[in-house]
């Protein structure tokens, strides 16, 4: 008779666990790149436009796959990411403070640089106070989540950035989304809410410049609606500060209404060539955010090099207003150029200029062909845009040369003609 022990129930169970399929929670992950799906087919055909590595980036020009391309898909609006003055400021900050703060602003993560930047930005935006966050996404999420709560009402444009949406979800406030840029619809919602819930506090949250269309929000009417219905107004000016307005102060300043907006947020990952974000407003509101906004309290603070980069970019923005003037000239030139060629660019008013292509597959092929022509842009497909309205999101910087711009237009015309897009795309 064998001395070997009989298999135990536990051993059998362990064996079953080892060979079991992965949890059903991950089924959607395994289906995401199903061979019959659009993304898998795009990868198979080498049309997949996302996560493509950039080997070098000098601003208006970049190296991809060993080839130089004109960069028309960056948010580096002032063209400062490779400016020697900015690079030197970042390097000096590392020498003085090290590479990181290793703690939140609440504890050991506040440097004198952080305080300098908050003071400078409050002054620049003509506000009482400013608070910094470690990313632009965290800024909007953290501000909305802290300001609005259970029992409050939030009114949010349907095309708002995902970070505002995340903030509304985290806040537990009741959120009502109005049709994109349809302020008549917003007014109907506000009037109904005022009649039915007169005691509830209200927040209107909207992008100042919409990141896909390049449209500017109707800030004067938003201010009027906010005042009429006792609502706070928050503008996300990620794509507006350092881009539009007489001094680059953003969407409200474009209408001369900078001090009539309750909260203005911005990011450092665009015109300020860094990473992080900020919110300006009345001092008591900002001080409240310092103590109640979870992303601010529980995240490590902006690294020294990032802060120094923003400070230097702010210096350059204020000292060299010709950069803004050049950016506006470029934007007008490209918008007019695309329209003359027969492209649909929606209602763009800024350096963000969408070029509508149509269906998703055509969009991916259009993107690949542009890259082969030496132009890098961003392919945008549903759900980020409506079905049938997939587009090339182009964006421009003050350092683009006339040669760069003409090369982009020539490439678009050549590829657009090849794919039958010119003159055939729909109206937004």
């Amino acid at each position: 008779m064998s001395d070997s022990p009989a298999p135990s129930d536990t051993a059998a169970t362990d064996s079953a666990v080892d060979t079991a399929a992965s949890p059903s929670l991950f089924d959607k992950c395994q289906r995401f790149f199903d061979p019959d799906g659009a993304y898998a087919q795009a990868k198979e055909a080498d049309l997949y436009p996302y996560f493509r590595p950039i080997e070098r980036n000098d601003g208006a020009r970049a190296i991809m796959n060993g080839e130089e391309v004109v960069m028309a898909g960056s948010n580096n609006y002032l063209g400062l990411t490779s400016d020697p003055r900015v690079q030197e400021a970042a390097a000096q900050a590392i020498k003085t403070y090290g590479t990181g703060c290793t703690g939140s602003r609440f504890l050991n993560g506040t440097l004198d640089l952080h305080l300098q930047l908050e003071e400078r930005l409050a002054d620049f935006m003509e506000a009482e106070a400013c608070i910094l966050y470690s990313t632009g996404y965290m800024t909007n999420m953290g501000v909305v989540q802290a300001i609005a709560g259970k029992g409050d009402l939030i009114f949010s444009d349907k095309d708002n950035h995902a970070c505002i949406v995340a903030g509304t979800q985290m806040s537990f406030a009741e959120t009502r989304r109005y049709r994109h840029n349809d302020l008549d619809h917003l007014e109907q919602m506000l009037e109904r809410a005022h009649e039915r819930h007169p005691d509830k506090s209200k927040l209107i949250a909207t992008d100042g410049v919409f990141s896909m269309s390049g449209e500017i929000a109707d800030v004067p009417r938003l201010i009027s609606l906010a005042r009429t219905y006792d609502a706070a107004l928050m503008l996300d000016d990620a794509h507006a500060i350092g881009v539009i307005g007489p001094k680059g102060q953003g969407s409200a300043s474009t209408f001369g209404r900078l001090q009539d907006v309750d909260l203005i947020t911005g990011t450092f990952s665009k015109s300020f060539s860094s990473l992080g974000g900020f919110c300006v407003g009345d001092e008591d509101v900002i001080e409240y955010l310092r103590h109640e906004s979870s992303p601010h309290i529980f995240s490590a603070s902006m690294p020294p090099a990032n802060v120094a980069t923003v400070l230097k970019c702010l210096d350059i923005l204020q000292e060299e207003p010709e950069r803004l003037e050049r950016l506006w000239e470029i934007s007008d030139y490209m918008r007019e150029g695309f329209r003359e060629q027969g492209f649909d660019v929606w209602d763009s008013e800024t350096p963000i200029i969408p070029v509508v292509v149509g269906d998703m597959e055509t969009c991916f092929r259009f993107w690949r062909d542009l890259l082969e022509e030496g132009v890098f842009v961003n392919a945008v497909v549903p759900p980020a845009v409506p079905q049938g309205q997939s587009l090339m999101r182009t964006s421009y910087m003050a350092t683009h040369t006339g040669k760069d711009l003409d090369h982009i237009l020539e490439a678009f015309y050549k590829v657009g003609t090849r794919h039958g897009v010119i003159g055939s795309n729909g109206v937004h």
Side-chain angles (χ1 to χ4, degrees):
M1 191 170 186
S2 172
D3 293 333
S4 300
S8 67
D9 291 342
T10 301
T13 302
D14 290 343
S15 176
V17 169
D18 290 340
T19 60
S22 62
S24 59
L25 179 67
F26 299 141
D27 287 352
K28 57 182 172 289
C29 309
Q30 294 155 2
R31 291 194 304 267
F32 190 75
F33 281 107
D34 184 272
D36 295 328
Y39 281 119
Q41 291 178 3
K43 281 194 169 186
E44 181 68 23
D46 195 30
L47 297 174
Y48 187 71
Y50 308 121
F51 304 103
R52 297 277 183 144
I54 295 173
E55 293 138 32
R56 179 175 172 178
N57 190 346
D58 294 324
R61 299 271 173 159
I63 304 296
M64 298 184 71
N65 299 325
E67 301 289 335
E68 185 178 72
V69 297
V70 178
M71 176 56 68
S74 169
N75 296 319
N76 180 22
Y77 298 118
L78 296 177
L80 294 175
T81 55
S82 56
D83 189 289
R85 296 167 293 179
V86 175
Q87 293 176 335
E88 177 61 21
Q92 287 298 323
I94 289 176
K95 290 179 181 178
T96 302
Y97 299 95
T99 57
C101 297
T102 70
S104 73
R105 289 289 303 278
F106 225 60
L107 301 175
N108 66 301
T110 293
L111 304 176
D112 55 354
L113 278 182
H114 292 115
L115 301 181
Q116 288 176 34
L117 181 54
E118 286 175 335
E119 185 176 342
R120 285 283 306 279
L121 285 169
D123 181 64
F124 175 67
M125 294 298 295
E126 301 177 27
E128 291 183 4
C130 171
I131 180 174
L132 301 180
Y133 287 81
S134 298
T135 70
Y137 191 101
M138 289 166 55
T139 303
N140 284 325
M141 182 174 66
V143 170
V144 173
Q145 166 259 326
I147 290 296
K150 190 173 182 179
D152 297 330
L153 294 174
I154 300 175
F155 299 86
S156 178
D157 188 293
K158 281 193 173 182
D159 278 11
N160 277 344
H161 192 274
C163 51
I164 294 180
V165 177
T168 65
Q169 293 169 338
M170 290 181 64
S171 71
F172 298 109
E174 183 180 344
T175 301
R176 300 177 182 180
R177 300 175 68 199
Y178 59 93
R179 291 186 293 268
H180 172 54
N181 253 352
D182 187 342
L183 299 193
D184 289 338
H185 188 213
L186 171 60
E187 184 168 19
Q188 292 170 9
M189 287 183 165
L190 287 166
E191 185 174 9
R192 192 178 305 119
H194 181 71
E195 292 172 353
R196 297 178 181 178
H197 310 286
D199 297 328
K200 287 192 174 184
S201 298
K202 307 173 190 68
L203 170 68
I204 301 170
T206 180
D207 288 6
V209 167
F210 291 91
S211 60
M212 288 298 133
S213 65
E215 298 168 279
I216 303 172
D218 185 352
V219 178
R221 189 171 176 199
L222 284 164
I223 292 169
S224 176
L225 290 173
R227 289 180 174 174
T228 299
Y229 295 99
D230 187 31
L233 175 61
M234 170 184 154
L235 293 180
D236 170 16
D237 263 357
H239 293 273
I241 294 172
V243 181
I244 62 173
K247 300 177 183 178
Q249 294 167 301
S251 58
S253 71
T254 301
F255 301 96
R257 304 295 298 272
L258 188 60
Q259 294 176 315
D260 295 328
V261 178
D262 300 293
L263 293 168
I264 298 176
T265 62
T267 182
F268 303 136
S269 60
K270 276 71 175 176
S271 295
F272 294 109
S273 304
S274 186
L275 187 68
F278 70 95
C279 178
V280 294
D282 289 347
E283 188 170 0
D284 57 348
V285 178
I286 299 302
E287 196 64 21
Y288 176 85
L289 289 172
R290 293 190 204 283
H291 294 82
E292 293 293 331
S293 181
S294 295
H296 179 73
I297 297 169
F298 297 109
S299 292
S301 60
M302 285 177 64
N306 295 74
V307 183
T309 293
V310 180
L311 282 165
K312 180 53 68 174
C313 288
L314 186 55
D315 288 341
I316 295 171
L317 171 61
Q318 294 179 305
E319 294 166 4
E320 300 178 4
E322 62 270 18
R323 283 182 179 267
L324 278 177
E325 295 167 9
R326 173 63 180 158
L327 184 59
W328 300 334
E329 291 171 0
I330 287 171
S331 303
D332 291 341
Y333 180 80
M334 294 304 292
R335 227 180 339 267
E336 186 61 28
F338 283 129
R339 284 176 173 149
E340 286 181 355
Q341 289 180 342
F343 287 108
D344 177 9
V345 297
W346 286 357
D347 296 320
S348 168
E349 306 169 78
T350 66
I352 301 168
I353 304 178
V355 177
V356 181
V357 172
D359 63 82
M360 183 172 171
E361 182 180 350
T362 303
C363 182
F364 285 169
R365 293 188 180 279
F366 200 107
W367 175 88
R368 193 265 315 274
D369 290 353
L370 279 178
L371 191 62
E372 290 180 353
E373 294 293 331
V375 175
F376 179 87
V377 298
N378 294 296
V380 183
V381 299
V385 290
Q387 289 290 339
Q389 295 279 302
S390 293
L391 57 84
M392 300 291 105
R393 181 190 183 274
T394 74
S395 50
Y396 302 92
M397 56 190 83
T399 50
H400 273 126
T401 65
K403 183 178 179 181
D404 294 332
L405 304 179
D406 288 340
H407 179 70
I408 295 167
L409 287 172
E410 289 166 7
F412 262 89
Y413 188 77
K414 182 177 180 179
V415 175
T417 301
R418 180 184 308 157
H419 289 284
V421 170
I422 292 178
S424 68
N425 37 0
V427 177
H428 178 51

